[in-house]
Amino acid sequence: MAYDIEKILKERILVLDGAMGTMIQRHTLTEDDFRGDRFKDHPHPLKGNNDLLSLTRPDIIKEIHRQYFDAGADIVETNTFSATTIAQADYHLEDAVYDINYESARIAREVADEFTSEQPEKPRFVAGSMGPTNRLASMSPDVNDPGFRNIDFDQLRIAFKEQAKGLLDGGVDLFLVETITDTLNAKAALFAISELLEEEGKRVPVMVSGTITDASGRTLSGQTTEAFLISVSHMPILSIGLNCALGAAQLRPYLETLSEKAPFHTSAHPNAGLPNEFGQYDQTPEEMVKQVGEFLKDGFLNIVGGCCGTTPEHIRLIAQEASRYSPRLVHSSHSIVSGN
């Protein structure tokens, strides 16, 4: 049975899962865990390549998905945040990219279908996670040469298209272009997805989620929230939102902007507060849900979840809180031009 996520979004707020990396860190994994049998003779270190665990320790990834669904998530993200040839080049694993995406999607699909069969009134969905890569199309990595680029639009498009193909073949319900620091990278991903879906003759909803990197309220490439919204509004996306970099409290003014102006559904999956001096996230589920609850009460959101530092415990409380509120009303007449 096919479920219409757009119809469900009109009825209730949907809950996205929490952090994958935070949960992986709960396991004491060694280099051998990342290598498995397939990569045991790979000449380069692989520890820390979390996406690879979908091939070498699928049991761990499957259990993490299961814990988030158990906690009340409607949507889980595939373990593919860095699964492009561009990001996997750091590990010399460009040839494994299709398999990582396909298997990550297949694992999540298996768990989602298991939960949906048990609770058909609460269908579970799989979002193919497409991270920003580790290169920026509109910024130079060299402060002494601002005109230099170490990636271009076509290279990004090709890489994202290969990733999207693996995710699509593995059975995702949605694509999630997330943690966008450079909107030009996101445009390449959206173009790649559009190109792939046209070739395949399929329709798959797309979520887009940007990242406000600091108190200036801008993305890393310098866009305000409204500029970011305008930059991707040519695409018929399912939702636009913000994630990562900031905790829920810091995201509030930017989510309010999206809620006021976006002609799409809106989403947020903030971090569990700001990191401490050791890079850890200390915000408890109880503390986080108080802040997230304000967004829900004010009608800012249609989709809510967690990013860095969040766990099934955070998602459980967020899901309970989300069930108390109605989703934000989406009006196609919302203006995305300042002053209208």
Side-chain angles (χ1 to χ4, degrees), residues 5 19 74 78 90 110 112 116 175 256 277 302 313 328 331:
I5 193 167
D74 299 287
T78 54
D90 287 353
E110 181 182 324
T116 299
F175 291 109
E256 189 168 4
E277 60 270 29
N302 303 99
E313 292 77 17
R328 167 183 168 270
H331 298 290

Side-chain angles (χ1 to χ4, degrees), residues 22-340:
T22 299
M23 295 301 290
I24 288 173
Q25 287 168 17
R26 290 185 170 185
H27 298 266
T28 308
L29 299 179
T30 67
E31 179 74 19
D32 288 343
D33 289 301
F34 289 89
R35 289 180 173 274
D37 289 333
R38 176 170 174 176
F39 304 103
K40 64 181 180 181
D41 297 321
H42 190 71
H44 303 280
L46 297 177
K47 188 175 180 181
N49 186 2
N50 287 346
D51 297 15
L52 195 57
L53 295 172
S54 295
L55 299 179
T56 60
R57 288 298 307 270
D59 55 312
I60 290 176
I61 305 305
K62 191 176 292 188
E63 181 56 28
I64 291 171
H65 290 321
R66 188 169 283 115
Q67 288 181 54
Y68 280 124
F69 279 139
D70 256 334
D74 299 287
I75 308 167
V76 296
E77 302 167 60
T78 54
N79 181 39
T80 53
F81 185 81
S82 299
T84 55
T85 51
I86 295 164
Q88 287 298 316
D90 287 353
Y91 299 95
H92 304 271
L93 283 178
E94 295 93 329
D95 291 345
V97 160
Y98 177 86
D99 290 349
I100 292 172
N101 285 284
Y102 177 85
E103 286 300 321
S104 294
R106 189 191 62 77
I107 289 166
R109 173 86 273 144
E110 181 182 324
V111 182
D113 290 347
E114 172 190 318
F115 275 81
T116 299
S117 66
E118 293 172 1
Q119 294 178 289
E121 74 285 358
K122 183 180 167 66
R124 304 314 211 275
F125 298 94
V126 176
S129 172
M130 301 175 68
T133 82
N134 49 5
R135 300 190 178 198
L136 303 175
S138 63
M139 293 177 68
S140 173
D142 183 354
V143 294
N144 298 310
D145 187 0
F148 173 68
R149 299 292 183 271
N150 60 1
I151 196 77
D152 64 32
F153 187 91
D154 276 336
Q155 290 171 315
L156 285 163
R157 176 186 62 82
I158 291 166
F160 281 128
K161 189 174 180 181
E162 181 178 2
Q163 179 179 33
K165 173 64 172 166
L167 293 169
L168 185 66
D169 290 351
V172 298
D173 301 296
L174 316 155
F175 291 109
L176 171 56
V177 180
E178 65 168 313
T179 320
I180 297 161
T181 52
D182 184 342
T183 308
L184 192 55
N185 285 43
K187 283 176 171 284
L190 294 172
F191 188 90
I193 292 168
S194 177
E195 193 174 51
L196 174 68
L197 294 178
E198 186 174 345
E199 290 171 4
E200 299 279 337
K202 295 181 178 179
R203 180 177 179 275
V204 177
V206 180
M207 298 173 63
V208 173
S209 185
T211 296
I212 301 298
T213 53
D214 57 38
S216 73
R218 295 175 181 267
T219 64
L220 189 62
S221 55
Q223 284 191 310
T224 63
T225 305
E226 188 173 352
F228 165 61
L229 168 62
I230 293 168
S231 294
V232 297
S233 288
H234 63 290
M235 292 290 292
I237 57 179
L238 176 71
S239 68
I240 187 163
L242 297 171
N243 76 287
C244 205
L246 302 177
Q250 294 79 21
L251 274 185
R252 182 185 175 87
Y254 316 119
L255 290 176
E256 189 168 4
T257 296
L258 287 182
S259 178
E260 288 174 357
K261 298 186 175 294
F264 315 110
H265 299 288
T266 53
S267 72
H269 51 296
N271 291 347
L274 297 175
N276 61 28
E277 60 270 29
F278 303 107
Q280 303 298 311
Y281 294 86
D282 300 323
Q283 193 171 65
T284 67
E286 293 77 14
E287 291 167 341
M288 185 174 182
V289 79
K290 283 182 183 177
Q291 295 175 359
V292 170
E294 292 298 312
F295 307 155
L296 302 173
K297 182 175 70 174
D298 291 338
F300 289 172
L301 297 175
N302 303 99
I303 302 169
V304 63
C307 202
C308 302
T310 57
T311 66
E313 292 77 17
H314 291 80
I315 298 305
R316 188 178 308 281
L317 293 189
I318 288 173
Q320 291 169 5
E321 188 72 5
S323 69
R324 300 175 52 214
Y325 298 100
S326 298
R328 167 183 168 270
L329 292 175
V330 182
H331 298 290
S332 59
S333 60
H334 275 159
S335 171
I336 57 173
V337 180
S338 182
N340 290 352

